[in-house]
Short mmCIF file of all heavy atoms in Angstrom, two decimals:
data_model
loop_
_atom_site.label_atom_id
_atom_site.label_comp_id
_atom_site.label_asym_id
_atom_site.label_seq_id
_atom_site.Cartn_x
_atom_site.Cartn_y
_atom_site.Cartn_z
N ALA B 332 -2.06 -37.98 -25.63
CA ALA B 332 -0.68 -38.37 -25.49
C ALA B 332 -0.18 -38.78 -26.90
O ALA B 332 -0.86 -39.60 -27.55
CB ALA B 332 -0.51 -39.62 -24.61
N VAL B 333 0.97 -38.22 -27.20
CA VAL B 333 1.47 -38.37 -28.63
C VAL B 333 2.88 -39.10 -28.45
O VAL B 333 3.67 -38.61 -27.69
CB VAL B 333 1.57 -37.10 -29.31
CG1 VAL B 333 2.09 -37.24 -30.78
CG2 VAL B 333 0.33 -36.21 -29.36
N THR B 334 3.07 -40.10 -29.19
CA THR B 334 4.35 -40.74 -29.13
C THR B 334 5.38 -39.96 -29.80
O THR B 334 5.22 -39.50 -30.94
CB THR B 334 4.21 -42.12 -29.93
OG1 THR B 334 3.13 -42.88 -29.38
CG2 THR B 334 5.57 -42.97 -29.79
N ALA B 335 6.47 -39.75 -29.14
CA ALA B 335 7.56 -38.93 -29.79
C ALA B 335 8.18 -39.72 -30.91
O ALA B 335 8.52 -40.88 -30.84
CB ALA B 335 8.68 -38.58 -28.75
N PRO B 336 8.37 -39.01 -32.14
CA PRO B 336 8.92 -39.69 -33.25
C PRO B 336 10.39 -40.20 -32.85
O PRO B 336 10.97 -39.56 -31.98
CB PRO B 336 8.99 -38.68 -34.28
CG PRO B 336 8.03 -37.61 -33.93
CD PRO B 336 8.00 -37.62 -32.45
N ASP B 337 10.89 -41.15 -33.48
CA ASP B 337 12.17 -41.67 -33.23
C ASP B 337 13.21 -40.59 -33.37
O ASP B 337 13.16 -39.74 -34.19
CB ASP B 337 12.52 -42.79 -34.24
CG ASP B 337 11.80 -44.05 -33.91
OD1 ASP B 337 11.26 -44.18 -32.81
OD2 ASP B 337 11.76 -44.93 -34.80
N GLY B 338 14.10 -40.56 -32.39
CA GLY B 338 15.23 -39.62 -32.43
C GLY B 338 14.83 -38.22 -31.86
O GLY B 338 15.74 -37.38 -31.74
N VAL B 339 13.69 -37.99 -31.57
CA VAL B 339 13.24 -36.72 -31.03
C VAL B 339 13.58 -36.67 -29.51
O VAL B 339 13.12 -37.54 -28.84
CB VAL B 339 11.79 -36.47 -31.36
CG1 VAL B 339 11.26 -35.34 -30.40
CG2 VAL B 339 11.62 -35.99 -32.80
N ARG B 340 14.20 -35.54 -29.00
CA ARG B 340 14.38 -35.37 -27.62
C ARG B 340 13.21 -34.59 -27.10
O ARG B 340 13.07 -33.33 -27.24
CB ARG B 340 15.74 -34.64 -27.40
CG ARG B 340 16.88 -35.45 -27.82
CD ARG B 340 18.14 -34.87 -27.42
NE ARG B 340 19.25 -35.74 -27.94
CZ ARG B 340 20.53 -35.41 -27.78
NH1 ARG B 340 20.86 -34.40 -26.94
NH2 ARG B 340 21.50 -36.20 -28.30
N VAL B 341 12.33 -35.21 -26.38
CA VAL B 341 11.09 -34.61 -25.90
C VAL B 341 11.29 -33.38 -25.08
O VAL B 341 10.68 -32.37 -25.34
CB VAL B 341 10.34 -35.71 -25.05
CG1 VAL B 341 9.19 -35.01 -24.34
CG2 VAL B 341 9.74 -36.75 -26.00
N LEU B 342 12.14 -33.44 -24.16
CA LEU B 342 12.39 -32.35 -23.20
C LEU B 342 12.96 -31.10 -24.00
O LEU B 342 12.62 -29.98 -23.67
CB LEU B 342 13.22 -32.76 -22.07
CG LEU B 342 12.61 -33.79 -21.15
CD1 LEU B 342 13.48 -34.15 -20.04
CD2 LEU B 342 11.14 -33.41 -20.77
N GLU B 343 13.79 -31.34 -24.87
CA GLU B 343 14.39 -30.32 -25.66
C GLU B 343 13.29 -29.58 -26.50
O GLU B 343 13.17 -28.28 -26.59
CB GLU B 343 15.44 -30.77 -26.58
CG GLU B 343 16.86 -30.75 -25.93
CD GLU B 343 17.96 -31.22 -26.91
OE1 GLU B 343 17.80 -30.98 -28.12
OE2 GLU B 343 18.90 -31.81 -26.43
N VAL B 344 12.54 -30.41 -27.18
CA VAL B 344 11.47 -29.84 -27.99
C VAL B 344 10.52 -29.04 -27.16
O VAL B 344 10.23 -27.90 -27.52
CB VAL B 344 10.77 -30.92 -28.82
CG1 VAL B 344 9.57 -30.32 -29.58
CG2 VAL B 344 11.75 -31.64 -29.88
N GLN B 345 10.10 -29.61 -26.11
CA GLN B 345 9.18 -29.00 -25.19
C GLN B 345 9.72 -27.63 -24.65
O GLN B 345 9.00 -26.68 -24.67
CB GLN B 345 8.86 -29.88 -24.05
CG GLN B 345 7.84 -29.38 -23.04
CD GLN B 345 8.09 -29.65 -21.62
OE1 GLN B 345 9.32 -30.03 -21.28
NE2 GLN B 345 7.14 -29.50 -20.73
N ALA B 346 10.98 -27.60 -24.31
CA ALA B 346 11.48 -26.29 -23.85
C ALA B 346 11.62 -25.31 -24.94
O ALA B 346 11.33 -24.20 -24.70
CB ALA B 346 12.99 -26.60 -23.23
N ASP B 347 11.95 -25.74 -26.15
CA ASP B 347 12.01 -24.82 -27.32
C ASP B 347 10.65 -24.22 -27.58
O ASP B 347 10.57 -23.09 -27.90
CB ASP B 347 12.60 -25.52 -28.55
CG ASP B 347 14.12 -25.46 -28.61
OD1 ASP B 347 14.66 -25.05 -27.50
OD2 ASP B 347 14.69 -25.82 -29.61
N VAL B 348 9.71 -25.08 -27.62
CA VAL B 348 8.38 -24.64 -27.87
C VAL B 348 7.89 -23.60 -26.87
O VAL B 348 7.30 -22.59 -27.21
CB VAL B 348 7.27 -25.81 -27.89
CG1 VAL B 348 5.93 -25.37 -27.88
CG2 VAL B 348 7.53 -26.64 -29.08
N ARG B 349 8.25 -23.87 -25.58
CA ARG B 349 7.93 -22.91 -24.59
C ARG B 349 8.61 -21.55 -24.84
O ARG B 349 8.05 -20.47 -24.70
CB ARG B 349 8.35 -23.41 -23.22
CG ARG B 349 8.28 -22.53 -22.02
CD ARG B 349 6.88 -22.07 -21.74
NE ARG B 349 6.91 -21.24 -20.52
CZ ARG B 349 7.12 -19.93 -20.51
NH1 ARG B 349 7.31 -19.30 -21.70
NH2 ARG B 349 7.07 -19.23 -19.49
N GLU B 350 9.87 -21.62 -25.20
CA GLU B 350 10.64 -20.46 -25.25
C GLU B 350 10.31 -19.65 -26.58
O GLU B 350 10.15 -18.42 -26.49
CB GLU B 350 12.13 -20.69 -25.20
CG GLU B 350 13.01 -19.42 -25.18
CD GLU B 350 14.51 -19.78 -24.92
OE1 GLU B 350 14.79 -20.89 -24.55
OE2 GLU B 350 15.23 -18.83 -25.13
N ARG B 351 10.19 -20.34 -27.72
CA ARG B 351 10.06 -19.62 -28.88
C ARG B 351 8.58 -19.22 -29.18
O ARG B 351 8.36 -18.18 -29.75
CB ARG B 351 10.47 -20.52 -30.09
CG ARG B 351 11.90 -20.94 -30.09
CD ARG B 351 12.34 -21.72 -31.17
NE ARG B 351 12.29 -21.05 -32.48
CZ ARG B 351 12.73 -21.49 -33.60
NH1 ARG B 351 13.30 -22.75 -33.65
NH2 ARG B 351 12.58 -20.78 -34.74
N TYR B 352 7.70 -20.10 -28.73
CA TYR B 352 6.26 -19.83 -29.06
C TYR B 352 5.45 -19.53 -27.81
O TYR B 352 4.25 -19.17 -27.87
CB TYR B 352 5.72 -20.98 -29.82
CG TYR B 352 6.53 -21.32 -31.08
CD1 TYR B 352 7.15 -22.53 -31.22
CD2 TYR B 352 6.65 -20.31 -32.08
CE1 TYR B 352 8.00 -22.73 -32.30
CE2 TYR B 352 7.46 -20.54 -33.16
CZ TYR B 352 8.13 -21.77 -33.28
OH TYR B 352 8.88 -22.00 -34.37
N GLY B 353 6.02 -19.57 -26.65
CA GLY B 353 5.29 -19.29 -25.43
C GLY B 353 4.17 -20.25 -25.09
O GLY B 353 3.24 -19.93 -24.37
N VAL B 354 4.25 -21.44 -25.62
CA VAL B 354 3.29 -22.47 -25.42
C VAL B 354 3.90 -23.58 -24.42
O VAL B 354 4.92 -24.13 -24.83
CB VAL B 354 2.79 -23.18 -26.71
CG1 VAL B 354 1.76 -24.15 -26.41
CG2 VAL B 354 2.25 -22.07 -27.71
N MET B 355 3.22 -23.79 -23.34
CA MET B 355 3.69 -24.81 -22.44
C MET B 355 2.83 -25.98 -22.68
O MET B 355 1.66 -26.14 -22.56
CB MET B 355 3.48 -24.31 -21.08
CG MET B 355 4.18 -25.21 -19.96
SD MET B 355 6.03 -24.91 -20.12
CE MET B 355 6.60 -26.36 -19.21
N LEU B 356 3.66 -27.05 -23.09
CA LEU B 356 3.00 -28.44 -23.36
C LEU B 356 3.61 -29.38 -22.15
O LEU B 356 4.58 -28.95 -21.55
CB LEU B 356 3.39 -29.05 -24.71
CG LEU B 356 3.03 -28.25 -25.91
CD1 LEU B 356 3.60 -28.82 -27.15
CD2 LEU B 356 1.50 -28.04 -25.98
N SER B 357 3.05 -30.52 -22.10
CA SER B 357 3.61 -31.48 -21.09
C SER B 357 4.43 -32.54 -21.82
O SER B 357 3.98 -32.92 -22.87
CB SER B 357 2.54 -32.13 -20.30
OG SER B 357 1.97 -31.27 -19.28
N PRO B 358 5.50 -32.97 -21.20
CA PRO B 358 6.18 -34.23 -21.75
C PRO B 358 5.44 -35.35 -21.09
O PRO B 358 4.38 -35.12 -20.47
CB PRO B 358 7.55 -34.03 -21.13
CG PRO B 358 7.34 -33.35 -19.85
CD PRO B 358 6.16 -32.45 -19.99
N GLY B 359 5.98 -36.47 -21.26
CA GLY B 359 5.38 -37.68 -20.50
C GLY B 359 5.62 -37.47 -18.96
O GLY B 359 6.13 -36.45 -18.57
N PHE B 360 5.36 -38.55 -18.28
CA PHE B 360 5.48 -38.44 -16.80
C PHE B 360 5.95 -39.70 -16.32
O PHE B 360 5.62 -40.87 -16.80
CB PHE B 360 4.09 -38.13 -16.21
CG PHE B 360 4.16 -37.92 -14.72
CD1 PHE B 360 4.69 -36.62 -14.24
CD2 PHE B 360 3.63 -38.71 -13.77
CE1 PHE B 360 4.82 -36.39 -12.81
CE2 PHE B 360 3.70 -38.48 -12.48
CZ PHE B 360 4.17 -37.28 -11.96
N GLY B 361 6.78 -39.73 -15.25
CA GLY B 361 7.30 -41.05 -14.69
C GLY B 361 8.15 -41.72 -15.77
O GLY B 361 8.97 -41.08 -16.36
N ASP B 362 7.90 -43.00 -15.92
CA ASP B 362 8.71 -43.76 -16.90
C ASP B 362 8.56 -43.28 -18.29
O ASP B 362 9.49 -43.60 -19.20
CB ASP B 362 8.28 -45.31 -16.86
CG ASP B 362 8.48 -45.92 -15.37
OD1 ASP B 362 9.30 -45.32 -14.67
OD2 ASP B 362 7.88 -47.00 -15.14
N LEU B 363 7.49 -42.64 -18.57
CA LEU B 363 7.20 -42.31 -19.88
C LEU B 363 7.67 -40.89 -20.22
O LEU B 363 7.48 -40.34 -21.35
CB LEU B 363 5.66 -42.37 -20.22
CG LEU B 363 5.04 -43.70 -19.94
CD1 LEU B 363 3.45 -43.59 -20.11
CD2 LEU B 363 5.54 -44.70 -20.89
N LYS B 364 8.33 -40.26 -19.29
CA LYS B 364 8.70 -38.86 -19.39
C LYS B 364 9.30 -38.43 -20.69
O LYS B 364 8.88 -37.42 -21.31
CB LYS B 364 9.63 -38.40 -18.27
CG LYS B 364 9.83 -36.97 -18.17
CD LYS B 364 10.45 -36.51 -16.82
CE LYS B 364 10.61 -35.06 -16.81
NZ LYS B 364 11.27 -34.64 -15.53
N GLU B 365 10.24 -39.23 -21.24
CA GLU B 365 10.83 -38.79 -22.43
C GLU B 365 10.37 -39.47 -23.64
O GLU B 365 10.98 -39.39 -24.74
CB GLU B 365 12.40 -38.98 -22.20
CG GLU B 365 12.80 -38.24 -20.92
CD GLU B 365 14.36 -37.89 -20.91
OE1 GLU B 365 14.99 -37.99 -22.00
OE2 GLU B 365 14.83 -37.53 -19.88
N ARG B 366 9.22 -40.05 -23.55
CA ARG B 366 8.75 -40.86 -24.67
C ARG B 366 7.43 -40.20 -25.30
O ARG B 366 7.03 -40.57 -26.37
CB ARG B 366 8.40 -42.30 -24.32
CG ARG B 366 9.72 -43.01 -23.93
CD ARG B 366 9.44 -44.42 -23.45
NE ARG B 366 8.84 -45.19 -24.51
CZ ARG B 366 8.15 -46.37 -24.30
NH1 ARG B 366 8.17 -46.92 -23.03
NH2 ARG B 366 7.57 -46.98 -25.17
N LEU B 367 6.87 -39.33 -24.57
CA LEU B 367 5.54 -38.73 -25.01
C LEU B 367 5.55 -37.23 -24.96
O LEU B 367 6.28 -36.63 -24.15
CB LEU B 367 4.47 -39.27 -24.01
CG LEU B 367 4.22 -40.68 -23.81
CD1 LEU B 367 3.03 -40.82 -22.82
CD2 LEU B 367 3.91 -41.40 -25.14
N PHE B 368 4.68 -36.67 -25.77
CA PHE B 368 4.23 -35.27 -25.57
C PHE B 368 2.77 -35.37 -25.13
O PHE B 368 2.06 -36.31 -25.59
CB PHE B 368 4.29 -34.49 -26.87
CG PHE B 368 5.67 -34.38 -27.33
CD1 PHE B 368 6.23 -35.04 -28.37
CD2 PHE B 368 6.41 -33.26 -26.86
CE1 PHE B 368 7.61 -34.85 -28.77
CE2 PHE B 368 7.74 -32.95 -27.34
CZ PHE B 368 8.26 -33.71 -28.21
N ARG B 369 2.38 -34.49 -24.31
CA ARG B 369 0.94 -34.59 -23.91
C ARG B 369 0.26 -33.15 -24.18
O ARG B 369 0.86 -32.20 -23.62
CB ARG B 369 0.81 -34.91 -22.47
CG ARG B 369 1.11 -36.41 -22.33
CD ARG B 369 0.98 -36.85 -20.86
NE ARG B 369 1.85 -36.16 -19.94
CZ ARG B 369 1.64 -35.94 -18.66
NH1 ARG B 369 0.48 -36.37 -18.15
NH2 ARG B 369 2.53 -35.30 -17.91
N LEU B 370 -0.80 -33.16 -24.98
CA LEU B 370 -1.40 -31.92 -25.24
C LEU B 370 -2.66 -31.81 -24.45
O LEU B 370 -3.57 -32.63 -24.59
CB LEU B 370 -1.78 -31.84 -26.78
CG LEU B 370 -0.69 -32.27 -27.71
CD1 LEU B 370 -1.16 -32.09 -29.23
CD2 LEU B 370 0.61 -31.40 -27.49
N GLY B 371 -2.73 -30.82 -23.61
CA GLY B 371 -3.84 -30.66 -22.68
C GLY B 371 -4.98 -29.87 -23.35
O GLY B 371 -4.78 -28.97 -24.07
N HIS B 372 -6.24 -30.35 -23.09
CA HIS B 372 -7.37 -29.58 -23.60
C HIS B 372 -8.43 -29.76 -22.48
O HIS B 372 -9.44 -30.46 -22.66
CB HIS B 372 -7.86 -30.22 -25.07
CG HIS B 372 -7.44 -31.64 -25.24
ND1 HIS B 372 -8.14 -32.65 -24.57
CD2 HIS B 372 -6.58 -32.19 -25.99
CE1 HIS B 372 -7.57 -33.78 -24.97
NE2 HIS B 372 -6.63 -33.52 -25.88
N MET B 373 -8.23 -28.92 -21.55
CA MET B 373 -9.14 -28.99 -20.37
C MET B 373 -9.73 -27.54 -20.11
O MET B 373 -9.02 -26.53 -20.31
CB MET B 373 -8.39 -29.49 -19.14
CG MET B 373 -7.92 -30.95 -19.28
SD MET B 373 -7.06 -31.58 -17.87
CE MET B 373 -5.41 -31.12 -18.28
N GLY B 374 -10.87 -27.47 -19.74
CA GLY B 374 -11.52 -26.20 -19.26
C GLY B 374 -11.49 -25.28 -20.50
O GLY B 374 -11.91 -25.66 -21.63
N PRO B 375 -11.01 -24.01 -20.35
CA PRO B 375 -11.02 -23.14 -21.44
C PRO B 375 -10.19 -23.54 -22.58
O PRO B 375 -10.49 -23.14 -23.77
CB PRO B 375 -10.41 -21.87 -20.75
CG PRO B 375 -9.90 -22.20 -19.46
CD PRO B 375 -10.57 -23.42 -19.06
N ASN B 376 -9.23 -24.52 -22.40
CA ASN B 376 -8.46 -24.93 -23.54
C ASN B 376 -9.18 -25.98 -24.32
O ASN B 376 -8.66 -26.52 -25.29
CB ASN B 376 -7.10 -25.56 -23.01
CG ASN B 376 -6.19 -24.48 -22.37
OD1 ASN B 376 -6.36 -23.26 -22.73
ND2 ASN B 376 -5.41 -24.83 -21.33
N ALA B 377 -10.27 -26.44 -23.74
CA ALA B 377 -11.21 -27.28 -24.54
C ALA B 377 -12.17 -26.59 -25.44
O ALA B 377 -12.96 -27.16 -26.24
CB ALA B 377 -11.86 -28.39 -23.72
N ARG B 378 -12.19 -25.29 -25.30
CA ARG B 378 -13.12 -24.47 -26.09
C ARG B 378 -12.48 -23.95 -27.22
O ARG B 378 -11.31 -23.89 -27.39
CB ARG B 378 -13.64 -23.33 -25.14
CG ARG B 378 -14.76 -23.73 -24.15
CD ARG B 378 -15.25 -22.55 -23.46
NE ARG B 378 -15.72 -21.57 -24.39
CZ ARG B 378 -16.91 -21.56 -25.04
NH1 ARG B 378 -17.77 -22.61 -24.88
NH2 ARG B 378 -17.16 -20.73 -25.91
N SER B 379 -13.28 -23.29 -28.01
CA SER B 379 -12.89 -22.49 -29.08
C SER B 379 -11.84 -23.25 -30.02
O SER B 379 -11.96 -24.54 -30.17
CB SER B 379 -12.28 -21.20 -28.59
OG SER B 379 -12.03 -20.25 -29.67
N LEU B 380 -10.87 -22.55 -30.51
CA LEU B 380 -10.00 -23.15 -31.47
C LEU B 380 -8.63 -23.42 -30.80
O LEU B 380 -7.67 -23.79 -31.47
CB LEU B 380 -9.78 -22.29 -32.71
CG LEU B 380 -11.01 -21.95 -33.48
CD1 LEU B 380 -10.73 -21.06 -34.67
CD2 LEU B 380 -11.75 -23.27 -33.94
N THR B 381 -8.69 -23.46 -29.49
CA THR B 381 -7.38 -23.61 -28.76
C THR B 381 -6.67 -24.94 -29.08
O THR B 381 -5.43 -25.00 -29.12
CB THR B 381 -7.60 -23.37 -27.28
OG1 THR B 381 -8.19 -22.07 -27.20
CG2 THR B 381 -6.23 -23.25 -26.48
N PRO B 382 -7.45 -25.98 -29.35
CA PRO B 382 -6.71 -27.24 -29.66
C PRO B 382 -5.79 -27.06 -30.89
O PRO B 382 -4.78 -27.73 -30.93
CB PRO B 382 -7.92 -28.26 -29.91
CG PRO B 382 -8.96 -27.76 -29.03
CD PRO B 382 -8.91 -26.22 -29.05
N LEU B 383 -6.09 -26.14 -31.78
CA LEU B 383 -5.21 -25.86 -32.87
C LEU B 383 -3.89 -25.36 -32.42
O LEU B 383 -2.85 -25.60 -33.12
CB LEU B 383 -5.85 -24.90 -33.87
CG LEU B 383 -7.22 -25.22 -34.51
CD1 LEU B 383 -7.57 -24.11 -35.41
CD2 LEU B 383 -7.25 -26.58 -35.02
N VAL B 384 -3.87 -24.59 -31.40
CA VAL B 384 -2.59 -23.95 -30.89
C VAL B 384 -1.70 -25.08 -30.40
O VAL B 384 -0.49 -25.01 -30.70
CB VAL B 384 -2.91 -22.88 -29.79
CG1 VAL B 384 -1.63 -22.39 -29.20
CG2 VAL B 384 -3.73 -21.77 -30.37
N ALA B 385 -2.24 -26.01 -29.70
CA ALA B 385 -1.50 -27.16 -29.18
C ALA B 385 -0.91 -27.92 -30.40
O ALA B 385 0.29 -28.29 -30.43
CB ALA B 385 -2.33 -28.02 -28.32
#
Side-chain angles (χ1 to χ4, degrees):
Chain B
V333 182
T334 306
D337 285 344
V339 162
R340 297 189 183 180
V341 167
L342 299 181
E343 271 181 29
V344 171
Q345 185 218 14
D347 273 13
V348 165
R349 170 68 176 83
E350 186 170 350
R351 298 181 66 172
Y352 306 115
V354 180
M355 193 71 199
L356 303 175
S357 285
F360 187 71
D362 297 343
L363 304 174
K364 186 164 185 180
E365 308 203 10
R366 298 176 58 194
L367 303 182
F368 292 98
R369 290 182 297 155
L370 312 184
H372 27 70
M373 294 181 271
N376 294 334
R378 280 188 53 79
S379 189
L380 302 180
T381 306
L383 305 183
V384 176

